[in-house]
């Protein structure tokens, strides 16, 4: 069989490592040649250790015309050298630049995964329309297959006539439910150890936020909700930090006001997410916009109740009052009320925890998401007579 060459492109190496490692390994295991392209960062070495060939090109996450053009030229030169059969792009700016470069190089197959379209329902109508039309333009003329993670984005793409309906595929999202995010794999000793690290007694109910500490993730709403929370046995774990390329200074200054709050613990970035979720009762992600948030799936898989906003992706994962609650954007009062209610009603809390794990098992198995993508790779490579 002729070896097919695949190039994966994302803006930052954290995306390549945390979201795409399983797919990258699947591509290699399928017998394809793989090159991963992204900006250099703290995860680059870890990606190499996974046996993945990675080439670092600085790719911006924002529109910066001069820098974007420089990046485009570098991507073009690289793709011209590799001459891939498939270019698979991720994250908004990298996806645009990668698709232009791939088109200029006459790459046979260009695939774009929309992990969550940048346009969303809470934008000003004019901005929404502009970004919507940009996405539709690049889907129509620079993309062979459009993957969406959420069913809602899939419907939007079909109704907006981004491409022929059979070229738009909702692939879903998932995590490793058997090994990494399986509560049965976290021993009582490990749970006691993590509680000890954060000085959390066994009777403490834990509310956890995991994500970038930027305004659009709703972190300020959660912190405001924590103020004067009734019940001294509720503690908040805030996991994450600003990414190197992000400088949401105003938000950071507001966050600093909570650094000495007795019930809030800022952990910084952590690699042991499953261990932290194993001691978490309520996972809270009050984002302004999402695609198909992996963090919620991880929390569900680890038997956490979830409080999140009624936004795209989140409302697909959470069934209100079953495995969590959907609240309005910018609503610290609602967040506080839901946390308080679950604190006072442990039987409902426990029911939501169990329901979350069950829903994750039924719908969010990462291996199935990878299998679907690899099948589509194989089918289109055969269709193009690249492999037998």
């Amino acid at each position: 069989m002729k070896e097919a060459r695949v190039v994966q492109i994302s803006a930052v190496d954290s995306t390549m490592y945390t979201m795409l490692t399983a797919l990258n390994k699947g591509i290699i295991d399928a017998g394809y040649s793989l090159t991963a392209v992204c900006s250099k960062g703290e995860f680059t070495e870890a990606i190499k250790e996974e046996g993945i060939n990675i080439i670092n090109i600085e790719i911006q996450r924002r529109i910066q015309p001069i820098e974007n053009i420089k990046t485009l030229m570098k991507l073009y030169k690289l793709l011209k050298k590799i001459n891939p059969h498939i270019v698979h792009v991720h994250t908004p700016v990298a996806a645009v630049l990668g698709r232009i470069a791939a088109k200029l190089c006459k790459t046979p197959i260009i695939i774009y995964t929309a992990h969550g379209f940048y346009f969303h329902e809470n934008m000003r109508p004019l901005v929404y329309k502009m970004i919507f039309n940009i996405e539709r333009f690049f889907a129509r003329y620079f993309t062979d297959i459009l993957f969406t993670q959420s069913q809602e984005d899939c419907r939007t793409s079909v109704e907006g006539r981004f491409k022929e309906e059979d070229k738009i595929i909702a692939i879903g999202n998932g995590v490793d439910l058997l090994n990494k995010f399986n509560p049965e794999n976290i021993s009582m000793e490990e749970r006691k150890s993590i509680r000890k690290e954060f000085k959390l007694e066994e009777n403490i109910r834990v509310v956890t936020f995991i994500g970038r500490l930027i305004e659009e993730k709703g972190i300020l709403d959660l912190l405001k909700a924590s103020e004067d929370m009734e019940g001294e046995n509720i503690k908040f774990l805030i996991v994450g930090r600003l990414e190197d390329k992000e400088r949401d200074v105003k938000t950071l200054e507001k966050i600093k006001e909570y650094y000495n709050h007795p019930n809030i613990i800022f952990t910084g970035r952590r690699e042991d997410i499953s261990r932290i979720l194993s001691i978490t009762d309520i996972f809270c992600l009050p984002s302004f916009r999402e695609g198909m948030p992996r963090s919620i799936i991880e929390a569900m898989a680890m038997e956490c109740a979830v409080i999140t906003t009624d936004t795209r992706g989140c409302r697909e994962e959470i069934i209100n009052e079953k495995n969590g609650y959907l609240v309005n954007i910018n609503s610290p009062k609602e967040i506080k009320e839901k946390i308080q209610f679950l604190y006072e009603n442990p039987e409902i809390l426990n029911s939501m925890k169990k329901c979350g794990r069950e829903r994750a098992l039924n719908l969010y198995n990462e291996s199935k998401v990878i299998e679907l993508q690899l099948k589509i790779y194989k089918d289109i490579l055969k269709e193009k007579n690249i492999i037998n």
Side-chain angles (χ1 to χ4, degrees), residues 66-103:
I66 294 175
E67 295 304 315
N68 296 153
I69 291 171
K70 289 179 182 177
T71 297
L72 176 60
M73 293 309 299
K74 290 177 182 177
L75 289 171
Y76 171 78
K77 289 178 182 177
L78 177 63
L79 296 182
K80 200 72 175 172
K81 180 180 178 182
I82 296 172
N83 190 25
H85 299 103
I86 296 177
V87 169
H88 191 164
V89 297
H90 311 260
T91 64
V93 175
V96 168
L97 299 178
R99 281 181 285 179
I100 294 173
K103 197 73 170 178

Side-chain angles (χ1 to χ4, degrees), residues 129-372:
K129 185 175 182 180
M130 179 183 71
I131 298 174
F132 178 94
N133 285 327
I134 290 171
E135 286 280 14
R136 181 166 59 180
F137 175 80
F138 276 94
R140 280 185 181 179
Y141 302 111
F142 290 80
T143 311
D144 295 291
I145 299 289
L146 171 60
F147 290 159
T148 70
Q149 290 199 309
S150 75
Q151 292 289 342
E152 188 170 333
D153 274 343
C154 185
R155 289 193 298 271
T156 298
S157 305
V158 171
E159 291 167 4
R161 298 181 180 178
F162 281 31
K163 291 197 72 60
E164 301 89 342
E165 191 168 344
D166 65 337
K167 302 298 182 185
I168 303 171
I169 302 158
I171 60 170
N173 201 356
V175 300
D176 180 354
L177 298 168
L178 182 62
N179 300 302
K180 191 171 183 180
F181 293 99
N182 184 347
E184 293 181 2
N185 291 343
I186 310 292
S187 67
M188 288 304 298
E189 288 74 18
E190 284 183 275
R191 295 173 195 240
K192 287 178 180 178
S193 174
I194 198 82
R195 278 186 173 273
K196 184 177 180 181
E197 178 182 349
F198 297 125
K199 299 178 181 177
L200 300 170
E201 300 295 332
E202 287 297 324
N203 63 334
I204 297 292
R205 289 294 190 188
V206 178
V207 180
T208 298
F209 168 93
I210 300 172
R212 291 175 288 144
L213 303 187
I214 56 175
E215 184 179 19
E216 71 172 28
K217 288 295 182 181
I219 180 61
L220 296 178
D221 294 330
L222 176 58
L223 293 174
K224 190 171 180 60
S226 73
E227 295 175 0
D228 305 318
M229 184 74 70
E230 294 175 24
E232 58 184 25
N233 292 333
I234 302 175
K235 299 284 186 181
F236 294 78
L237 290 183
I238 308 300
V239 183
R241 66 167 191 242
L242 282 174
E243 297 289 345
D244 292 339
K245 297 180 184 298
E246 293 172 322
R247 292 291 179 266
D248 192 345
V249 178
K250 289 183 180 179
T251 298
L252 185 58
E253 289 304 312
K254 292 178 182 178
I255 289 172
K256 286 180 179 178
E257 296 175 10
Y258 294 88
Y259 276 7
N260 296 318
H261 193 290
N263 293 329
I264 302 174
I265 301 164
F266 291 89
T267 74
R269 184 196 288 277
R270 301 280 299 207
E271 296 299 319
D272 57 343
I273 296 302
S274 60
R275 292 176 71 238
I276 286 176
L277 290 173
S278 74
I279 64 163
T280 296
D281 296 288
I282 303 167
F283 178 77
C284 190
L285 183 69
S287 281
F288 299 177
R289 72 175 183 91
E290 284 291 340
M292 190 73 176
R294 190 183 183 95
S295 60
I296 288 180
I297 299 172
E298 293 171 350
M300 289 163 53
M302 291 303 296
E303 296 186 342
C304 304
V306 177
I307 298 172
T308 189
T309 40
D310 186 6
T311 55
R312 173 191 55 201
C314 299
R315 57 177 163 246
E316 193 169 315
E317 295 169 347
I318 300 304
I319 306 300
N320 195 40
E321 299 186 355
K322 294 294 184 182
N323 59 328
Y325 290 113
L326 296 172
V327 299
N328 291 308
I329 288 172
N330 284 137
S331 185
K333 183 174 181 291
E334 279 188 82
I335 296 170
K336 181 176 180 177
E337 288 173 353
K338 298 304 183 187
I339 293 173
Q340 196 75 53
F341 178 82
L342 290 176
Y343 173 74
E344 294 170 357
N345 293 274
E347 69 286 351
I348 295 176
L349 173 61
N350 289 331
S351 174
M352 286 185 170
K353 288 181 175 185
K354 297 298 181 184
C355 183
R357 173 69 183 173
E358 183 179 343
R359 186 167 173 77
L361 287 170
N362 288 336
L363 298 175
Y364 303 117
N365 188 330
E366 182 178 57
S367 64
K368 292 182 179 179
V369 178
I370 303 305
E371 285 173 12
L372 174 59

